[in-house]
Amino acid sequence: MTATAEYVFQTGISPASRETYAVDETLTHCPVSHDLLDVQYEWDKLPVPSSLREFERRWSSRRNPLDFSGVWRFRELLPFAPPEQIVTIGEGQTILQQSDYVGKYVGLNDGCLHLQYEGLNPSGSFKDNGMTAASTHARMVGAKLSACASTGNTSASLAIYAGVTQLFRCLVFVGSGKIAYGKLSQALDYGAKTLQIEGDFDDALMQVRAVCDEAGIYLCNSVNPFRLEGQKTIMYRVLEGLGWEVPDWIVVPGGNLGNSSAFGKAFIELMQLGLIDRIPRLAVINAAGANTLYELYEQQGLRWNDGRPDQALIDAFYADMDAKNRRANTLASAIEINRPVNLTKCLRALDACDGVVREVTDEEILHGKAQVGAGGFGCEPASGASVAGARLLRQQGVIAPSDRVVCILTGHQLKDPTATVNYHTADLDGSADSAVSSANPPIVVPNDFDRIMEIIRQFE
Ligand code: F0G
């Protein structure tokens, strides 16, 4: 290990578990308390820039792959790896777009809505921010085989890192039926050994965790604390896109709750380091058909409670879910998750960021997605949840028209073409609301020049 290793360690997230573990241990929970683990740094012994602006200097040395990476450009803020061990494939070249078109839909004043396009990553989703970090740690510990369960994007991301770097082989577990073809095609094409479990994502995750424990395979789901270190950088790039000003709101879809957890940690640390002077509010948006966080946080009042969330409440919720055999069900297949593994870390983020949680229907998600398609660069259905959620919070008066809002668009438009084409070609529920529907169906015309011209003239 290098000099930094002694100032980096892993620890359980609740005050009850103060066990610490070395940076080169491969753990996904504290063996004593069973808590999720965090990567923690002794910041006072590590070199941290005195201002976030200092990171901008790296734009001028982009030939260095670490400076080119939108994750490792910020390496002093996730300093767990010796630079020579860092695995990068050029992730994090993503952009923040001001979109007044989508802002109007949400109900915001011009200039107030920004879209953060994480679909512009190499594998087409935000997961690459985390996978570069997990792959780096996998290399540090000498892993030769890695695995994940996935609704599609994690598997595409792990597969591309394994394929491009050839540092390790990978196994991906997916549920049956719901995975979008864009994502499945990536895992297959990049050479991942793909196991299609007869069950849903929650089943696949439970299996892969057990398999990795049993066989000593390196696990790359978001229970891996190093993955979340990489995902913190999405927030650094948002701040950078806003000239290092802190927005009023970050709005993000919630599935396994890795992103929201990482965002909270990013802001907690930036405050600790004196690099920002306030924390934005966080809105996590569930699909109504996969709304565990919404139910527990907004309906049942579950809170972080200084690291002691009411476990009995959580256990009772899951027991009831099992008794009723309630399964997650949403068109936004990326967030079709009923047992979010990062629940307690997300509670910490909501606590730090004065957060709110909302649920939105599949129709609202698809309308939000269509707005991003028509007034932006497009996104996959799950990402549309952030726009739909921002709109709902605006309607409820929680977000003000003059608030500066950043919606995180987690996945690329081409990930799930089936959902997009279905939206534009079908009346969603038989009652398409023209005020919010932007369906843009193809016009069917005979193979006849005159008839084609008749139609063209309508557009002149
Ligand atoms: N958006 C997209 C496009 C996703 O792929 C995911 C998660 C989420 C949002 C939810 O993010 O889990 O951090 O709350 N996809 C995982 C996967 C589960 O397997 O690809 P989260």
Side-chain angles (χ1 to χ4, degrees):
M1 291 277 104
T2 63
T4 54
E6 60 190 295
Y7 308 127
V8 184
F9 51 95
Q10 305 179 61
T11 177
I13 63 165
S14 77
S17 65
R18 281 288 149 241
E19 307 289 329
T20 61
Y21 304 94
V23 68
D24 56 353
E25 289 200 53
T26 305
L27 298 164
T28 49
H29 58 264
C30 168
V32 180
S33 65
H34 298 283
D35 254 0
L36 293 171
L37 288 167
D38 251 346
V39 182
Q40 293 287 346
Y41 306 97
E42 290 189 62
W43 293 112
D44 54 339
K45 303 195 176 105
L46 291 162
V48 180
S50 56
S51 151
L52 286 169
R53 285 191 183 280
E54 289 183 32
F55 290 109
E56 276 177 45
R57 273 202 253 118
R58 296 204 164 128
W59 286 99
S60 62
S61 48
R62 287 164 64 81
R63 288 222 182 116
N64 172 355
L66 300 193
D67 290 351
F68 179 77
S69 165
V71 171
W72 299 107
R73 192 148 49 84
F74 299 100
R75 52 193 174 273
E76 285 81 0
L77 298 176
L78 55 152
F80 68 83
E84 65 280 5
Q85 297 270 26
I86 288 175
V87 176
T88 174
I89 63 167
E91 57 288 318
Q93 304 301 317
T94 63
I95 57 171
L96 186 80
Q97 174 206 22
Q98 180 188 316
S99 176
D100 291 347
Y101 180 91
V102 181
K104 212 170 263 73
Y105 176 76
V106 169
L108 292 171
N109 297 344
D110 280 358
C112 288
L113 184 82
H114 292 79
L115 302 172
Q116 174 71 16
Y117 284 95
E118 289 303 312
L120 298 178
N121 271 291
S123 80
S125 86
F126 77 88
K127 302 286 179 181
D128 297 349
N129 292 287
M131 212 51 80
T132 182
S135 300
T136 296
H137 188 250
R139 182 185 199 175
M140 286 166 64
V141 301
K144 291 289 167 236
L145 183 59
S146 60
C148 69
S150 184
T151 56
N153 281 327
T154 303
S155 50
S157 184
L158 177 58
I160 203 173
Y161 276 86
V164 172
T165 67
Q166 295 288 314
L167 285 168
F168 45 80
R169 289 172 302 125
C170 77
L171 286 172
V172 308
F173 287 45
V174 298
S176 297
K178 272 294 184 70
I179 185 169
Y181 259 30
K183 306 174 187 184
L184 181 59
S185 69
Q186 287 181 289
L188 301 176
D189 211 28
Y190 300 142
K193 275 276 161 276
T194 305
L195 274 71
Q196 203 149 9
I197 307 287
E198 290 173 0
D200 61 14
F201 170 81
D202 293 316
D203 298 318
L205 183 57
M206 221 166 324
Q207 294 293 356
V208 81
R209 291 180 82 173
V211 166
C212 287
D213 274 352
E214 175 71 21
I217 298 170
Y218 191 87
L219 181 61
C220 286
N221 280 99
S222 52
V223 285
N224 179 325
F226 295 92
R227 230 192 79 180
L228 298 194
E229 289 304 288
Q231 289 172 220
K232 292 189 308 191
T233 65
I234 300 170
M235 292 300 100
Y236 308 152
R237 296 197 299 275
V238 163
L239 295 179
E240 187 177 42
L242 295 173
W244 306 110
E245 284 179 16
V246 178
D248 297 305
W249 286 93
I250 300 289
V251 189
V252 65
N256 233 354
L257 306 178
N259 253 349
S260 42
S261 300
F263 297 174
K265 186 170 189 277
F267 289 120
I268 292 168
E269 289 174 348
L270 290 180
M271 277 296 279
Q272 272 173 1
L273 293 169
L275 292 170
I276 53 173
D277 54 14
R278 73 185 180 94
I279 289 183
R281 296 191 69 186
L282 179 68
V284 183
I285 313 300
N286 274 165
N291 63 355
T292 296
L293 181 67
Y294 174 74
E295 284 289 332
L296 284 170
Y297 186 79
E298 295 290 348
Q299 305 295 100
Q300 303 195 23
L302 180 69
R303 289 294 180 273
W304 168 241
N305 192 26
D306 290 326
R308 294 179 186 81
D310 184 347
Q311 192 58 44
L313 196 70
I314 301 171
D315 293 344
F317 182 83
Y318 286 139
D320 182 59
M321 181 184 279
D322 289 342
K324 294 182 175 139
N325 197 21
R326 211 165 57 237
R327 291 280 166 177
N329 184 19
T330 167
L331 258 164
S333 57
I335 52 173
E336 192 181 64
I337 297 171
N338 258 354
R339 290 178 185 272
V341 286
N342 288 296
L343 178 63
T344 47
K345 276 190 184 173
C346 179
L347 292 174
R348 179 177 65 181
L350 290 165
D351 182 69
C353 302
D354 189 14
V356 297
V357 182
R358 290 294 180 271
E359 59 171 0
V360 290
T361 64
D362 282 0
E363 280 75 13
E364 289 165 334
I365 287 173
L366 291 174
H367 291 321
K369 172 191 172 310
Q371 292 295 318
V372 179
F377 305 136
C379 64
E380 70 164 278
S383 312
S386 48
V387 170
R391 185 172 197 258
L392 177 63
L393 288 163
R394 188 46 220 103
Q395 285 167 346
Q396 293 173 341
V398 180
I399 292 180
S402 58
D403 281 352
R404 210 178 204 191
V405 178
V406 179
C407 289
I408 309 301
L409 300 179
T410 45
H412 197 280
Q413 195 265 358
L414 294 174
K415 288 280 190 174
D416 189 354
T418 313
T420 307
V421 173
N422 285 348
Y423 174 86
H424 288 293
T425 55
D427 184 351
L428 284 176
D429 56 1
S431 63
D433 173 354
S434 59
V436 289
S437 173
S438 2
N440 181 28
I443 302 162
V444 180
V445 274
N447 185 14
D448 177 306
F449 178 79
D450 293 333
R451 294 289 301 281
I452 293 172
M453 281 312 294
E454 251 173 57
I455 295 192
I456 299 297
R457 290 212 176 90
Q458 293 170 16
F459 294 103
E460 283 177 344

